[in-house]
Amino acid sequence: MPEILLSTTSNITLVGGAAFPGSLLQRALRHAPHLVAADSGADRADSLGHRPDAIIGDMDSINKIETWQNSDVSMYRITEQDTTDFEKCLYSLSAPLILGCGFLGARLDHQLAAMSTLVRHADKRVVLLGEHEVVFHWPRRLALDLAPGASVSFFPMLPVQGVVSDGLQWPVAGLDFAPGSRIGTSNRALGRIEAAFDGDGMLALLPLDQLDAVVEGLSTPGR
């Protein structure tokens, strides 16, 4: 079992190395003020005028490593090469909620790797922010107070079956989902939605303007 290197009762904003606007980071920090960088994410945060509290990764792509080593920023070097820096961060962090910037956009293979990591660490509540959408692993059961008409896309990374569905234009209860088979993209919220699946493996993609509702839902005990 990998060691927890940083544990906090505050939400964490985790910064990766892909480009993203400063406004996105500000949006994340409003919900998660504790800033941590995944390797070269430290350089990205610095370029946006923010200093991380800690840096985690194999440190193979960070540009200003000497500067960071001579600072008061905590650095945790993990040398294993079986996982991405994003996954190294997830298994090393303990926080109620993690919001990730700099993991969507740029290279498609990196995005797919990040989404796969969300499923492997389904026990962690993690939301990845893109310029237009948010992506997260849907817990076994979750309710969200969404704006009527908001798009809701479900994308299975593992075979799962819908068991509860409320507030969706096209119900998902009783449907079998799987990669390469039935997926659930382009659904729509009628307002408050609730959905449950019989196992882990379902990702949800919602518009960025629904981030507040996602954070509230994932932060509410029992949801």
Side-chain angles (χ1 to χ4, degrees):
M1 179 73 67
E3 179 184 2
I4 297 293
L5 300 175
L6 182 58
S7 179
T8 175
T9 57
S10 300
N11 294 341
I12 287 176
T13 292
L14 182 63
V15 179
F20 59 90
S23 59
L24 196 66
L25 181 56
Q26 293 288 0
R27 196 165 195 158
L29 288 170
R30 285 199 294 270
H31 295 287
H34 193 23
L35 184 61
V36 176
D39 205 316
S40 62
D43 297 325
R44 181 69 61 190
D46 184 56
S47 71
L48 296 172
H50 293 271
R51 175 184 288 257
D53 301 307
I55 305 170
I56 299 173
D58 57 16
M59 309 300 174
D60 68 344
S61 56
I62 191 168
N63 292 325
K64 301 179 179 180
I65 190 165
E66 295 84 4
T67 299
W68 295 114
Q69 287 173 333
N70 293 322
S71 72
D72 59 356
V73 175
S74 299
M75 299 186 69
Y76 302 96
R77 186 176 184 185
I78 302 174
T79 58
E80 58 90 354
Q81 293 297 304
D82 294 326
T83 63
T84 64
D85 286 315
F86 176 48
E87 186 161 4
K88 290 177 175 66
C89 289
L90 289 197
Y91 69 57
S92 300
L93 295 172
S94 176
L97 183 66
I98 298 172
L99 301 184
C101 298
F103 299 98
L104 301 178
R107 289 174 52 173
L108 181 57
D109 58 339
H110 287 178
Q111 295 182 69
L112 291 171
M115 292 179 188
S116 180
T117 297
L118 291 178
V119 174
R120 283 199 299 276
H121 294 270
D123 59 313
K124 304 284 179 87
R125 298 212 162 183
V126 184
V127 183
L128 299 182
L129 281 63
E131 291 192 49
H132 305 290
E133 69 284 303
V134 299
V135 182
F136 61 98
H137 179 269
W138 193 271
R140 297 289 181 96
R141 186 167 188 152
L142 180 66
L144 298 177
D145 294 314
L146 299 180
S151 63
V152 179
S153 286
F154 291 114
F155 196 92
M157 300 292 280
L158 295 170
V160 293
Q161 183 182 73
V163 293
V164 172
S165 179
D166 187 49
L168 290 164
Q169 185 170 351
W170 293 282
V172 298
L175 299 181
D176 293 315
F177 298 90
S181 182
R182 184 195 299 272
I183 59 175
T185 57
S186 300
N187 209 325
R188 197 165 299 279
L190 304 178
R192 181 184 186 276
I193 70 168
E194 185 170 5
F197 300 93
D198 66 350
D200 294 330
M202 183 64 85
L203 297 184
L205 297 87
L206 278 74
L208 178 62
D209 62 12
Q210 299 303 299
L211 175 63
D212 291 356
V214 172
V215 170
E216 181 180 358
L218 290 175
S219 302
T220 302
R223 288 196 181 186

